[in-house]
Amino acid sequence: QVQLVESGGGLVQAGGSLRLSCAASGRTSSYYAVGWFRQAPGKERDFVAAISWTGVSTYYADSVKGRFTISRDNGKNTVYLQMNSLQSEDTAVYYCGVKQTMNAVIGPLRPDYWGQGTQVTVSS
C-alpha cells in the first residue's frame, strides 16, 4: 500500500499563488503516476493534473492549463502542484492520488490510492 499526505493548502487572495505537496510513503518502490484532483462543496471530485512516473509526461484539465504546474521529485517521493493566478473558482479540497503504472499520462488518472486532502480557499 501507499500512504499519501497532502500539504500546502491555505487561504490566498485572488491572483495569488500556492504550492501543494503530496508526500508518499509505503510501497514507493513501485512505479506510480500521480494526479491532483479537487472537490468543491456540493460538487463531484474533478481531475486537475497528472504526471507520469518519469515526470516526462503531464496532463492538465483545461480549467488550469497555463496556471498550474505539476512536478515531482522521486528522490523525495513527493509531487508538487504549483498554482498561480488563483481564482475563487479554484476553491476546493485538493487531493492527490496515485496509480501504479509506468505509462505516460494521456488523460485523467483513476487512482488506486488517495490522500486525505488539503483545503485551498481563494478570496475574491
PDB file of all heavy atoms in Angstrom, residues 42-61:
ATOM      1  N   GLY A  42     -20.434  20.517  -2.451  1.00  0.00           N
ATOM      2  CA  GLY A  42     -21.618  20.170  -3.221  1.00  0.00           C
ATOM      3  C   GLY A  42     -21.346  19.696  -4.635  1.00  0.00           C
ATOM      4  O   GLY A  42     -22.282  19.498  -5.413  1.00  0.00           O
ATOM      5  N   LYS A  43     -20.064  19.517  -4.981  1.00  0.00           N
ATOM      6  CA  LYS A  43     -19.723  19.107  -6.342  1.00  0.00           C
ATOM      7  C   LYS A  43     -18.943  17.805  -6.322  1.00  0.00           C
ATOM      8  O   LYS A  43     -18.448  17.374  -5.285  1.00  0.00           O
ATOM      9  CB  LYS A  43     -18.923  20.205  -7.035  1.00  0.00           C
ATOM     10  CG  LYS A  43     -19.715  21.486  -7.240  1.00  0.00           C
ATOM     11  CD  LYS A  43     -18.935  22.483  -8.088  1.00  0.00           C
ATOM     12  CE  LYS A  43     -19.750  23.726  -8.348  1.00  0.00           C
ATOM     13  NZ  LYS A  43     -19.010  24.704  -9.196  1.00  0.00           N
ATOM     14  N   GLU A  44     -18.820  17.206  -7.483  1.00  0.00           N
ATOM     15  CA  GLU A  44     -18.048  15.977  -7.608  1.00  0.00           C
ATOM     16  C   GLU A  44     -16.556  16.289  -7.604  1.00  0.00           C
ATOM     17  O   GLU A  44     -16.130  17.416  -7.853  1.00  0.00           O
ATOM     18  CB  GLU A  44     -18.421  15.254  -8.908  1.00  0.00           C
ATOM     19  CG  GLU A  44     -19.857  14.766  -8.955  1.00  0.00           C
ATOM     20  CD  GLU A  44     -20.142  13.959 -10.204  1.00  0.00           C
ATOM     21  OE1 GLU A  44     -19.289  13.946 -11.114  1.00  0.00           O
ATOM     22  OE2 GLU A  44     -21.227  13.345 -10.273  1.00  0.00           O
ATOM     23  N   ARG A  45     -15.774  15.245  -7.320  1.00  0.00           N
ATOM     24  CA  ARG A  45     -14.326  15.401  -7.374  1.00  0.00           C
ATOM     25  C   ARG A  45     -13.895  15.445  -8.835  1.00  0.00           C
ATOM     26  O   ARG A  45     -14.219  14.554  -9.622  1.00  0.00           O
ATOM     27  CB  ARG A  45     -13.657  14.231  -6.650  1.00  0.00           C
ATOM     28  CG  ARG A  45     -12.164  14.403  -6.448  1.00  0.00           C
ATOM     29  CD  ARG A  45     -11.604  13.299  -5.566  1.00  0.00           C
ATOM     30  NE  ARG A  45     -12.204  13.314  -4.234  1.00  0.00           N
ATOM     31  CZ  ARG A  45     -11.783  12.535  -3.240  1.00  0.00           C
ATOM     32  NH1 ARG A  45     -10.766  11.689  -3.427  1.00  0.00           N
ATOM     33  NH2 ARG A  45     -12.364  12.589  -2.053  1.00  0.00           N
ATOM     34  N   ASP A  46     -13.126  16.480  -9.179  1.00  0.00           N
ATOM     35  CA  ASP A  46     -12.692  16.690 -10.557  1.00  0.00           C
ATOM     36  C   ASP A  46     -11.189  16.508 -10.690  1.00  0.00           C
ATOM     37  O   ASP A  46     -10.416  16.865  -9.787  1.00  0.00           O
ATOM     38  CB  ASP A  46     -13.046  18.106 -11.028  1.00  0.00           C
ATOM     39  CG  ASP A  46     -14.543  18.313 -11.180  1.00  0.00           C
ATOM     40  OD1 ASP A  46     -15.253  17.332 -11.472  1.00  0.00           O
ATOM     41  OD2 ASP A  46     -14.987  19.454 -11.007  1.00  0.00           O
ATOM     42  N   PHE A  47     -10.799  16.034 -11.838  1.00  0.00           N
ATOM     43  CA  PHE A  47      -9.381  15.899 -12.174  1.00  0.00           C
ATOM     44  C   PHE A  47      -8.770  17.280 -12.404  1.00  0.00           C
ATOM     45  O   PHE A  47      -9.405  18.163 -13.001  1.00  0.00           O
ATOM     46  CB  PHE A  47      -9.239  15.046 -13.428  1.00  0.00           C
ATOM     47  CG  PHE A  47      -7.867  15.064 -14.019  1.00  0.00           C
ATOM     48  CD1 PHE A  47      -6.852  14.294 -13.464  1.00  0.00           C
ATOM     49  CD2 PHE A  47      -7.583  15.848 -15.128  1.00  0.00           C
ATOM     50  CE1 PHE A  47      -5.577  14.313 -14.008  1.00  0.00           C
ATOM     51  CE2 PHE A  47      -6.319  15.870 -15.676  1.00  0.00           C
ATOM     52  CZ  PHE A  47      -5.313  15.104 -15.116  1.00  0.00           C
ATOM     53  N   VAL A  48      -7.527  17.461 -11.953  1.00  0.00           N
ATOM     54  CA  VAL A  48      -6.808  18.720 -12.149  1.00  0.00           C
ATOM     55  C   VAL A  48      -5.560  18.527 -13.011  1.00  0.00           C
ATOM     56  O   VAL A  48      -5.383  19.218 -14.010  1.00  0.00           O
ATOM     57  CB  VAL A  48      -6.408  19.340 -10.792  1.00  0.00           C
ATOM     58  CG1 VAL A  48      -5.535  20.581 -10.998  1.00  0.00           C
ATOM     59  CG2 VAL A  48      -7.635  19.671  -9.960  1.00  0.00           C
ATOM     60  N   ALA A  49      -4.684  17.613 -12.611  1.00  0.00           N
ATOM     61  CA  ALA A  49      -3.420  17.432 -13.324  1.00  0.00           C
ATOM     62  C   ALA A  49      -2.849  16.063 -12.980  1.00  0.00           C
ATOM     63  O   ALA A  49      -3.178  15.485 -11.947  1.00  0.00           O
ATOM     64  CB  ALA A  49      -2.419  18.521 -12.944  1.00  0.00           C
ATOM     65  N   ALA A  50      -1.996  15.561 -13.855  1.00  0.00           N
ATOM     66  CA  ALA A  50      -1.343  14.283 -13.623  1.00  0.00           C
ATOM     67  C   ALA A  50       0.065  14.314 -14.181  1.00  0.00           C
ATOM     68  O   ALA A  50       0.365  15.072 -15.111  1.00  0.00           O
ATOM     69  CB  ALA A  50      -2.131  13.140 -14.254  1.00  0.00           C
ATOM     70  N   ILE A  51       0.918  13.467 -13.620  1.00  0.00           N
ATOM     71  CA  ILE A  51       2.300  13.374 -14.052  1.00  0.00           C
ATOM     72  C   ILE A  51       2.720  11.917 -14.052  1.00  0.00           C
ATOM     73  O   ILE A  51       2.336  11.135 -13.167  1.00  0.00           O
ATOM     74  CB  ILE A  51       3.204  14.227 -13.140  1.00  0.00           C
ATOM     75  CG1 ILE A  51       4.624  14.320 -13.698  1.00  0.00           C
ATOM     76  CG2 ILE A  51       3.209  13.701 -11.702  1.00  0.00           C
ATOM     77  CD1 ILE A  51       5.474  15.396 -13.049  1.00  0.00           C
ATOM     78  N   SER A  52       3.501  11.540 -15.047  1.00  0.00           N
ATOM     79  CA  SER A  52       3.956  10.164 -15.166  1.00  0.00           C
ATOM     80  C   SER A  52       5.049   9.846 -14.148  1.00  0.00           C
ATOM     81  O   SER A  52       5.590  10.749 -13.496  1.00  0.00           O
ATOM     82  CB  SER A  52       4.472   9.901 -16.576  1.00  0.00           C
ATOM     83  OG  SER A  52       5.612  10.725 -16.826  1.00  0.00           O
ATOM     84  N   TRP A  53       5.373   8.561 -14.060  1.00  0.00           N
ATOM     85  CA  TRP A  53       6.418   8.130 -13.130  1.00  0.00           C
ATOM     86  C   TRP A  53       7.739   8.849 -13.399  1.00  0.00           C
ATOM     87  O   TRP A  53       8.430   9.273 -12.483  1.00  0.00           O
ATOM     88  CB  TRP A  53       6.621   6.621 -13.237  1.00  0.00           C
ATOM     89  CG  TRP A  53       7.904   6.135 -12.639  1.00  0.00           C
ATOM     90  CD1 TRP A  53       8.982   5.637 -13.291  1.00  0.00           C
ATOM     91  CD2 TRP A  53       8.259   6.130 -11.256  1.00  0.00           C
ATOM     92  NE1 TRP A  53       9.980   5.314 -12.400  1.00  0.00           N
ATOM     93  CE2 TRP A  53       9.570   5.605 -11.144  1.00  0.00           C
ATOM     94  CE3 TRP A  53       7.589   6.521 -10.083  1.00  0.00           C
ATOM     95  CZ2 TRP A  53      10.213   5.450  -9.930  1.00  0.00           C
ATOM     96  CZ3 TRP A  53       8.252   6.365  -8.860  1.00  0.00           C
ATOM     97  CH2 TRP A  53       9.534   5.841  -8.798  1.00  0.00           C
ATOM     98  N   THR A  54       8.089   8.994 -14.666  1.00  0.00           N
ATOM     99  CA  THR A  54       9.360   9.634 -15.015  1.00  0.00           C
ATOM    100  C   THR A  54       9.288  11.151 -14.898  1.00  0.00           C
ATOM    101  O   THR A  54      10.314  11.821 -14.860  1.00  0.00           O
ATOM    102  CB  THR A  54       9.764   9.297 -16.447  1.00  0.00           C
ATOM    103  OG1 THR A  54       8.752   9.801 -17.331  1.00  0.00           O
ATOM    104  CG2 THR A  54       9.906   7.789 -16.627  1.00  0.00           C
ATOM    105  N   GLY A  55       8.077  11.688 -14.887  1.00  0.00           N
ATOM    106  CA  GLY A  55       7.929  13.134 -14.890  1.00  0.00           C
ATOM    107  C   GLY A  55       7.962  13.746 -16.281  1.00  0.00           C
ATOM    108  O   GLY A  55       7.790  14.952 -16.437  1.00  0.00           O
ATOM    109  N   VAL A  56       8.159  12.914 -17.280  1.00  0.00           N
ATOM    110  CA  VAL A  56       8.286  13.425 -18.649  1.00  0.00           C
ATOM    111  C   VAL A  56       6.936  13.867 -19.202  1.00  0.00           C
ATOM    112  O   VAL A  56       6.838  14.867 -19.911  1.00  0.00           O
ATOM    113  CB  VAL A  56       8.917  12.356 -19.563  1.00  0.00           C
ATOM    114  CG1 VAL A  56       8.851  12.789 -21.023  1.00  0.00           C
ATOM    115  CG2 VAL A  56      10.362  12.099 -19.142  1.00  0.00           C
ATOM    116  N   SER A  57       5.900  13.105 -18.931  1.00  0.00           N
ATOM    117  CA  SER A  57       4.586  13.471 -19.464  1.00  0.00           C
ATOM    118  C   SER A  57       3.685  14.005 -18.369  1.00  0.00           C
ATOM    119  O   SER A  57       3.698  13.528 -17.235  1.00  0.00           O
ATOM    120  CB  SER A  57       3.927  12.284 -20.160  1.00  0.00           C
ATOM    121  OG  SER A  57       3.638  11.249 -19.252  1.00  0.00           O
ATOM    122  N   THR A  58       2.930  15.028 -18.750  1.00  0.00           N
ATOM    123  CA  THR A  58       1.960  15.646 -17.848  1.00  0.00           C
ATOM    124  C   THR A  58       0.651  15.870 -18.603  1.00  0.00           C
ATOM    125  O   THR A  58       0.637  15.899 -19.848  1.00  0.00           O
ATOM    126  CB  THR A  58       2.453  16.992 -17.294  1.00  0.00           C
ATOM    127  OG1 THR A  58       2.760  17.864 -18.397  1.00  0.00           O
ATOM    128  CG2 THR A  58       3.704  16.815 -16.443  1.00  0.00           C
ATOM    129  N   TYR A  59      -0.402  16.042 -17.850  1.00  0.00           N
ATOM    130  CA  TYR A  59      -1.713  16.270 -18.466  1.00  0.00           C
ATOM    131  C   TYR A  59      -2.509  17.163 -17.522  1.00  0.00           C
ATOM    132  O   TYR A  59      -2.458  16.979 -16.307  1.00  0.00           O
ATOM    133  CB  TYR A  59      -2.435  14.940 -18.666  1.00  0.00           C
ATOM    134  CG  TYR A  59      -3.734  15.043 -19.426  1.00  0.00           C
ATOM    135  CD1 TYR A  59      -3.738  15.034 -20.817  1.00  0.00           C
ATOM    136  CD2 TYR A  59      -4.946  15.140 -18.763  1.00  0.00           C
ATOM    137  CE1 TYR A  59      -4.928  15.123 -21.526  1.00  0.00           C
ATOM    138  CE2 TYR A  59      -6.126  15.240 -19.457  1.00  0.00           C
ATOM    139  CZ  TYR A  59      -6.118  15.226 -20.834  1.00  0.00           C
ATOM    140  OH  TYR A  59      -7.296  15.318 -21.530  1.00  0.00           O
ATOM    141  N   TYR A  60      -3.211  18.152 -18.090  1.00  0.00           N
ATOM    142  CA  TYR A  60      -3.934  19.119 -17.277  1.00  0.00           C
ATOM    143  C   TYR A  60      -5.397  19.246 -17.712  1.00  0.00           C
ATOM    144  O   TYR A  60      -5.720  19.117 -18.895  1.00  0.00           O
ATOM    145  CB  TYR A  60      -3.288  20.503 -17.402  1.00  0.00           C
ATOM    146  CG  TYR A  60      -1.886  20.585 -16.862  1.00  0.00           C
ATOM    147  CD1 TYR A  60      -0.786  20.347 -17.680  1.00  0.00           C
ATOM    148  CD2 TYR A  60      -1.653  20.905 -15.532  1.00  0.00           C
ATOM    149  CE1 TYR A  60       0.505  20.418 -17.187  1.00  0.00           C
ATOM    150  CE2 TYR A  60      -0.361  20.990 -15.017  1.00  0.00           C
ATOM    151  CZ  TYR A  60       0.710  20.742 -15.859  1.00  0.00           C
ATOM    152  OH  TYR A  60       1.992  20.823 -15.359  1.00  0.00           O
ATOM    153  N   ALA A  61      -6.229  19.545 -16.749  1.00  0.00           N
ATOM    154  CA  ALA A  61      -7.590  19.938 -17.085  1.00  0.00           C
ATOM    155  C   ALA A  61      -7.546  21.301 -17.769  1.00  0.00           C
ATOM    156  O   ALA A  61      -6.677  22.135 -17.471  1.00  0.00           O
ATOM    157  CB  ALA A  61      -8.435  20.014 -15.815  1.00  0.00           C
TER     158      ALA A  61
END
